Amino acid sequence: MHHQKSTTPQELFGVLAAGAVMLMVVHGLGRFIYTPLFPYLVDDGQFTAPEGAAVATWNYFGYLVGAMLAIRWHRVSHIRVLLPAFLAVHVITTLFVTQTDNLTAISASRWLNGVANGVIFVQAPALILEWLVLRNRASMSGLVYIGVGLGLLVSSGLVTGSADWLEGAGRWWPAALISIPLAVWGAYRLSRLELQDHQSGSDGNTVITTPLIDRASVPLFLAYAGAGLGYILPMTFLPLLAKLELEAGHWLLDGTWLIVALCTIPAAWLWNKLGTKMGDIPALKLNFLIQLAGVLAAVLWPGTIGLVLCAALVGGTFLGTVLLTQRIGRALHPHQGPRLSAAMVALYGFTQMVGPWLTKQWLDAGGTLVSAFGIGVGALAFGLIFVFFVPRPDAWHARTIQAD
């Protein structure tokens, strides 16, 4: 058994801040800045809307590949090498897209940027969760994800603030320049964490006492797949839906993304707190219900009310789904921490690619975008059902002890 280690509030804040900064860099300035940039790059003539959608798909595909790499290299010793390496990849690929209008080069660069995002999005929180568990502070792990909400807000501000004096490839400069000092500081701070590779047996091989896929983790994986497919539809198409439903010049044309960003910032703190107070599994059921209501609102009340409710309720919940699911998985399989985390992010990444593809099939078959949101409602309902089949970690471990 590990000995509990003590830590100071300053040290705790420093580690959580470093993790949050890393997620802000790769997820906010890497991935999600593309959503507000997209219409500007199309207007500048850098590419057409369908070409830009293909660029986004390459980025999502890279994210999936990155999460798969993180399943393979999940030990603390691996993470120490890969985190700074992939932060460097993020910075280089972001600098590269400031220099080219070539579609193939942009797509390749965004794919590689997605790989870096996938690896870091798994490994930084997983490393910090392991460090917190040793200090009996696992309940604070969700606070790392505040970086994603801040990243949405910062990316939105950078794009709008520089819109009038940058154009084409040059629009990427603010993201590239801000990434450099943040990436350097985050990598330095996390490189100093005291953690060993644990679970080594007498022969030096890693001992994994529980399988990755079993009766406890399967319903959790299925619930998470439903969540990934359910949330990605509004997170990809909400601004487009606003454009279809509202008149030109309406404040919500840019406002939907701002509402999502503002509701995302307190979300990590809120769901972290609710999970600690109610228990992670009851909190996850509530999370799915609220998120489902948000996507359903866009279907039932097209226009202002539906758009505002969808932006607020999905923005306020999707990070909660991530942090609660990761923590339940870690509690069910303590020996599988980073590997389980990576497997879940890979699954989430896969369903995020399926969402836009299914929407395209639906639209090609003559469906409307608002009815395509029904796919999201169905996916979240599917996910919610499986949350009820996830065993409580304490009951699950008691059962295996009795079986032994």
Side-chain angles (χ1 to χ4, degrees):
M1 197 59 209
H2 297 299
H3 300 298
Q4 297 297 341
K5 299 185 179 182
S6 60
T7 181
T8 63
Q10 290 91 330
E11 192 182 15
L12 214 52
F13 176 78
V15 171
L16 289 167
V21 161
M22 280 196 175
L23 297 191
M24 179 177 143
V25 167
V26 295
H27 225 56
L29 302 175
R31 180 185 205 169
F32 279 130
I33 196 166
Y34 188 72
T35 305
L37 273 176
F38 189 5
Y40 287 109
L41 295 174
V42 171
D43 284 349
D44 293 343
Q46 192 181 38
F47 43 58
T48 64
E51 286 169 345
V55 170
T57 306
W58 277 109
N59 185 248
Y60 285 7
F61 177 53
Y63 181 74
L64 175 62
V65 171
M68 303 288 276
L69 289 177
I71 300 177
R72 171 67 187 79
W73 287 292
H74 61 275
R75 305 271 297 273
V76 172
S77 54
H78 301 150
I79 295 175
R80 285 194 190 285
V81 177
L82 291 179
L83 273 183
F86 277 106
L87 276 168
V89 169
H90 161 83
V91 169
I92 292 162
T93 51
T94 311
L95 283 168
F96 178 77
V97 287
T98 66
Q99 300 303 307
T100 182
D101 290 320
N102 179 295
L103 191 67
T104 309
I106 294 168
S107 298
S109 183
R110 292 300 291 156
W111 175 78
L112 198 51
N113 188 277
V115 175
N117 183 6
V119 171
I120 291 165
F121 197 77
V122 172
Q123 291 191 340
L127 188 73
I128 289 168
L129 180 54
E130 295 301 309
W131 184 83
L132 289 168
V133 165
L134 285 180
R135 285 151 184 82
N136 208 18
R137 294 295 182 87
S139 64
M140 301 185 77
S141 61
L143 298 176
V144 170
Y145 293 99
I146 288 174
V148 177
L150 287 172
L152 287 182
L153 204 59
V154 169
S155 63
S156 178
L158 287 177
V159 172
T160 315
S162 64
D164 295 340
W165 48 278
L166 293 174
E167 66 172 314
R171 292 190 187 277
W172 285 97
W173 272 114
L177 294 176
I178 286 183
S179 290
I180 296 167
L182 292 177
V184 169
W185 179 77
Y188 169 71
R189 190 71 191 73
L190 289 192
S191 70
R192 292 167 55 222
L193 285 190
E194 281 179 50
L195 263 180
Q196 292 96 33
D197 265 334
H198 49 274
Q199 308 134 233
S200 285
S202 53
D203 57 355
N205 290 329
T206 301
V207 179
I208 294 181
T209 55
T210 51
L212 195 59
I213 307 288
D214 63 10
R215 230 292 285 131
S217 63
V218 165
L220 193 62
F221 276 120
L222 289 170
Y224 206 41
L229 180 53
Y231 108 97
I232 202 63
L233 290 168
M235 287 299 280
T236 307
F237 297 112
L238 200 60
L240 183 60
L241 188 64
K243 202 174 167 193
L244 293 175
E245 292 183 348
L246 304 170
E247 67 277 7
H250 196 289
W251 69 274
L252 267 180
L253 294 178
D254 288 325
T256 50
W257 194 246
L258 187 64
I259 292 169
V260 170
L262 290 172
C263 292
T264 304
I265 290 171
W269 177 85
L270 175 71
W271 289 105
N272 200 57
K273 195 91 180 149
L274 282 172
T276 312
K277 283 264 187 291
M278 299 169 65
D280 286 343
I281 293 177
L284 189 60
K285 290 172 186 169
L286 177 65
N287 178 285
F288 267 86
L289 268 174
I290 294 171
Q291 202 166 176
L292 201 153
V295 186
L296 193 59
V299 180
L300 296 180
W301 300 295
T304 310
I305 294 174
L307 290 166
V308 169
L309 281 174
C310 186
L313 297 182
V314 175
T317 47
F318 81 90
L319 278 181
T321 321
V322 175
L323 71 91
L324 291 169
T325 307
Q326 295 282 2
R327 209 154 62 198
I328 294 163
R330 174 74 178 63
L332 287 168
H333 292 305
H335 301 285
Q336 293 272 29
R339 241 180 118 220
L340 191 77
S341 178
M344 289 192 158
V345 172
L347 180 67
Y348 205 54
F350 174 71
T351 54
Q352 285 174 40
M353 283 178 63
V354 170
W357 178 82
L358 273 178
T359 304
K360 185 181 181 303
Q361 306 308 310
W362 180 256
L363 297 175
D364 289 347
T368 61
L369 186 59
V370 74
S371 61
F373 272 53
I375 299 169
V377 175
L380 285 163
F382 169 89
L384 175 61
I385 290 164
F386 280 101
V387 180
F388 284 89
F389 291 95
V390 179
R392 284 204 339 270
D394 51 351
W396 176 251
H397 293 308
R399 210 201 67 153
T400 44
I401 289 164
Q402 284 162 5
D404 293 344

